[in-house]
Amino acid sequence: MQTLKHDLVVIGGGPAGLAAAIAAKEAGCDDVLLIERDRRLGGILNQCIHDGFGLHRFGKALTGPEYAQHFIDRLDALAIQRMLGTIVLSMEGGHVLHISSKTGFRRISAGAVILGMGCRERTAGAICLPGTRPAGIYTAGAAQTFINLQNIMIGKRIVILGSGDIGLIMARRLTLEGAEVEAVFEILPYASGLPRNIQQCLNDYGIPLYLSTSVIDIHGKERVTGVTVAEIGPDRRPVPGTERHVACDTLLLSVGLIPENELTRGADILIESRTSGAYVDDAFMTSRPGVFSCGNVLHVHDLVDYVSEEAETVGRNTAAFLKGDMRPAESHIDIKPGNGVGYVLPQRVGGEKDFVLSLRVSEPFRNRAVLVREGKRKVKRKKMVRLHPAEMIRMNVKVDKIQDAMSLEVSVE
Ligand SMILES: Cc1cc2nc3c(=O)[nH]c(=O)nc-3n(C[C@H](O)[C@H](O)[C@H](O)COP(=O)(O)OP(=O)(O)OC[C@H]3O[C@@H](n4cnc5c(N)ncnc54)[C@H](O)[C@@H]3O)c2cc1C
């Protein structure tokens, strides 16, 4: 089998892979190869024809393809090598990649690797959805692919389970395409999508959102004819007597995303159970030296602007690693989530430079503060009016505040 050699291989041509490859090349890494299994670059953005991308970065609401094109143009201008229609099948020891394309199987030996494989949606099986499986059950992203990329309408009378952002966006899209969206049912007592999407995709179109409610049965033999929904109690069980039938021909699932880390696991890279992504330090380096991770494969982002920013940092760090400018830290400070915090990222830092701490709260709060502390010593405190699991919180932490720290805990006060 042919073995190719490259200084840096970036896996995935979505916004994370694109920004990381560009930043690495701009930081002096000349031999960058980007591998994408699809026939085109852009990742999930290609199917997101709604606007709302790039508000932070470009100060305007771009569509997904417009946002991606900005990076593809820069990739072209820098003449960064790419292999499209090529899938990375496995990573041996993190640095030897086995790839497959129309031209056959090949091996690539890489000085450094950036993981940018994105994530996939939870399916009916993944959430153990009760009931039968007639035609008419789609994940929201699959429905988006059918409608936006293949011009295929998926149904006329729709029920959406889960209030994740993709489901909310599809509620609006389906309404605009002439379907009747009966309701969105959410098992949690709060919506899991961004407040702006609740307003713009449901409220503006009069689509009801029922919280603490879930689908407990699916009806129909060939095609979905309806679902039974019921209120869900604090014990996470259906409340007896609250069951009702909702007629529909389509059930859309918007019940969460799973970072696509099969390659990462296969290379024995440590995975953090809270993010389902790699365990990383403040350089976004995984437990395998020279393998970095960014974007949705690392942790699910709500805004693509932050994906690009994170990936650019990773690209620069990888270039520094390849130049030998990145010294391994002599010791590490572990960062742990405490009360009210779902996850933190990075999970450990070298304590030699300032870093950005990303986190999500585990439930909604109002008028609270996020506190970073070492034992009883306060390192950083950020007061916030609204804290919501759907919105990632970012905090800059100064290195002089963590001198001599052994570990840090982040909690909601
Ligand atoms: C439906 C939907 C709507 C969204 N709406 C908004 C919005 O309105 N505003 C906003 O800011 N953000 C939005 N987002 C979020 C934003 O799109 C994501 O945060 C962003 O696309 C993540 O970028 P990524 O590069 O990490 O992943 P992806 O875009 O998923 O890209 C990953 C790429 O890796 C490739 N890949 C995976 N495995 C392999 C392999 N083994 N070999 C080769 N290639 C591989 C995939 O084919 C894919 O192209 C939305 C996301 C979705 C899913």
Side-chain angles (χ1 to χ4, degrees), residues 264-276:
T264 323
R265 285 195 181 86
D268 287 333
I269 289 170
L270 203 60
I271 298 286
E272 220 281 330
S273 59
R274 292 185 186 89
T275 54
S276 301

Side-chain angles (χ1 to χ4, degrees), residues 27-91:
C29 177
D30 279 335
D31 180 17
V32 181
L33 171 68
L34 182 104
I35 302 180
E36 167 56 52
R37 67 183 169 194
D38 206 345
R39 275 168 304 173
R40 61 184 150 183
L41 296 169
I44 203 77
L45 295 184
N46 286 320
Q47 66 187 63
C48 300
I49 61 169
H50 58 280
D51 68 4
F53 295 84
L55 285 170
H56 289 258
R57 192 180 181 98
F58 300 114
K60 47 186 174 180
L62 303 172
T63 64
E66 283 170 343
Y67 186 92
Q69 195 57 47
H70 175 87
F71 291 87
I72 296 169
D73 289 346
R74 281 174 65 201
L75 197 85
D76 290 343
L78 289 165
I80 292 176
Q81 307 166 73
R82 69 213 70 175
M83 284 182 181
L84 301 183
T86 305
I87 186 164
V88 179
L89 296 171
S90 63
M91 295 201 302

